[in-house]
Amino acid sequence: MFKAFFKSRKWVIIAYVGLIFLLWVNYYQTVLRVKLNEWYRSFYDICQDIQKHTIDDFYSQMLVFMWVAMPFVISVVIERYVARVWALKWREAMTFSYLSHWRKVKNEIEGSSQRIQEDIYLFTKMVENLGIKIVAALMTLFAFIPVLWNLSKGVDIWFIKDVPGSLVWIALIVSIGGLIISWFVGWFLPHLEYNNQKVEAAFRKELVFAEEDKQNYASEEKIVDLFERIKYNYNRLFLHYGYFDIWLNSFNQILVIVPYLIMGPGIFTKVITLGVLIQVSNAFNQVRASFSIFTNNWTAITELRSIYIRLKEFQKNINYS
């Protein structure tokens, strides 16, 4: 899966140049996120203490925001375009690498067409999407942990105010806790996704054969039977995703108020300003979201794991058949 793109003479330059460019763009976006975080503090401090500021100060902050936000928007557009082209090249490399082996296989391999056409496409697309998110999360952690560590000095709750970097530790603890719980709550999802792809493949295969021979394929009895399997698997999948969604959405909503619960008392004791509170909220959410990258993308990761299993099986069959 990776060798066909990253170790092939034909594709190695595109693979690594594209990867380096995407890493650089993510670094640039992280720098802009830090600048936006600093802007939150300045802007809300002005709003809190309007007696010492004028309307010109307000508009100047709007200009500062635009100077940071617009380059960020442009970089995101460029990143998404390059990432999509890069993923398509990866798909091309994998497709023709698999085809060269598959043509030599004498025995029929279940779902070959789906694995070459659909699974490779989904694999490269999801790896590209999740890969960018993981890289962005790591760079965000690198940039925002020092910021959040320094802002922890404004915590005014007696049992944690003397703990260095308390906000960072809280973000880490809730994220790891959320990941562990998500792992157990979503325990059955990868297997169900894998089964789902198998029953869908069987249904699609019957319809493909029926395009050439409707007399012997896609009879009403056969189609009903295949679709009943699809319905059965989807109903199980929806049920398991139902309680997983309850957990994940509840967890994310509770975390919205965590930084306010921690820093809120400091507003009333005048240890911090409104700008600091907003800056902490933004920085905390950046760090917590980065720590929680796997929890927040659990559905996509589950689908990727099931696709990886199918491609691994296919790769093993074409190599040893």
Side-chain angles (χ1 to χ4, degrees):
M1 281 172 270
F2 295 93
K3 185 178 179 180
F5 191 48
F6 290 95
K7 291 188 177 181
S8 168
R9 288 185 178 181
K10 180 179 180 181
W11 300 104
V12 67
I13 295 178
I14 294 175
Y16 284 100
V17 170
L19 180 61
I20 291 170
F21 177 79
L22 291 172
L23 290 173
W24 178 83
V25 171
N26 270 277
Y27 170 76
Y28 178 66
Q29 291 174 359
T30 302
V31 172
L32 294 179
R33 287 192 186 97
V34 173
K35 291 184 179 295
L36 281 174
N37 180 260
E38 295 170 351
W39 176 85
Y40 280 119
R41 179 171 183 167
S42 301
F43 177 72
Y44 282 96
D45 278 345
I46 288 175
C47 293
Q48 182 184 26
D49 196 4
I50 59 175
Q51 302 300 325
K52 296 180 181 179
H53 299 279
T54 65
I55 190 65
D56 291 334
D57 295 326
F58 174 84
Y59 286 125
S60 67
Q61 286 297 313
M62 295 294 101
L63 288 175
V64 170
F65 176 83
M66 294 302 295
W67 277 109
V68 178
M70 292 314 298
F72 183 84
V73 171
I74 293 171
S75 71
V76 169
V77 173
I78 294 173
E79 176 202 49
R80 297 312 305 150
Y81 176 78
V82 172
R84 286 165 181 149
V85 173
W86 186 71
L88 180 60
K89 295 295 183 182
W90 190 353
R91 177 189 179 185
E92 184 179 354
M94 284 183 62
T95 299
F96 286 96
S97 175
Y98 278 24
L99 279 172
S100 65
H101 291 84
W102 180 58
R103 288 194 181 101
K104 302 174 185 177
V105 175
K106 296 180 180 180
N107 299 325
E108 178 63 26
I109 299 174
E110 181 270 328
S112 297
S113 59
Q114 179 197 3
R115 301 190 191 204
I116 293 174
Q117 184 268 324
E118 182 178 356
D119 287 353
I120 290 177
Y121 163 69
L122 291 174
F123 176 78
T124 55
K125 180 181 179 181
M126 295 178 74
V127 168
E128 166 253 318
N129 188 34
L130 286 171
I132 287 176
K133 289 181 179 179
I134 292 172
V135 169
L138 292 174
M139 290 188 177
T140 298
L141 286 174
F142 180 78
F144 276 92
I145 282 181
V147 174
L148 197 61
W149 191 281
N150 186 58
L151 290 171
S152 298
K153 297 175 183 177
V155 175
D156 197 28
I157 299 178
W158 65 271
F159 59 92
I160 57 173
K161 69 178 182 179
D162 294 326
V163 177
S166 56
L167 289 170
V168 176
W169 296 118
I170 291 171
L172 177 61
I173 290 169
V174 297
S175 299
I176 292 178
L179 177 61
I180 293 172
I181 296 173
S182 296
W183 182 274
F184 285 105
V185 175
W187 184 267
F188 298 102
L189 293 177
H191 180 69
L192 289 171
E193 284 285 0
Y194 175 77
N195 286 343
N196 193 54
Q197 291 179 17
K198 291 184 68 174
V199 295
E200 287 281 15
F203 183 67
R204 178 167 50 248
K205 183 178 180 179
E206 189 72 15
L207 293 177
V208 170
F209 284 154
E211 289 180 355
E212 302 296 332
D213 186 2
K214 291 185 176 63
Q215 296 298 321
N216 296 313
Y217 294 97
S219 64
E220 183 175 353
E221 182 181 351
K222 181 69 172 178
I223 291 297
V224 169
D225 177 62
L226 289 172
F227 202 80
E228 284 298 321
R229 298 180 191 178
I230 291 175
K231 285 166 57 180
Y232 173 75
N233 198 73
Y234 265 117
N235 285 328
R236 292 179 64 200
L237 191 63
F238 294 158
L239 176 63
H240 285 279
Y241 268 124
Y243 63 72
F244 183 82
D245 288 340
I246 291 174
W247 148 248
L248 189 59
N249 284 285
S250 300
F251 179 66
N252 286 332
Q253 289 301 316
I254 291 172
L255 289 181
V256 171
I257 64 172
V258 168
Y260 295 102
L261 289 173
I262 298 169
M263 300 301 293
I267 286 282
F268 296 94
T269 58
K270 302 189 185 302
V271 174
I272 62 171
T273 62
L274 177 62
V276 173
L277 176 63
I278 301 300
Q279 185 185 17
V280 167
S281 175
N282 177 261
F284 183 88
N285 287 327
Q286 295 274 3
V287 171
R288 194 269 310 165
S290 298
F291 279 138
S292 303
I293 184 67
F294 296 107
T295 304
N296 293 336
N297 292 277
W298 198 263
T299 300
I301 292 171
T302 297
E303 293 175 1
L304 179 60
R305 287 168 64 191
S306 66
I307 293 169
Y308 177 82
I309 293 171
R310 286 180 60 82
L311 286 176
K312 197 69 176 177
E313 286 182 349
F314 181 65
Q315 185 173 307
K316 183 178 178 179
N317 287 331
I318 63 177
N319 284 336
Y320 294 101
S321 296

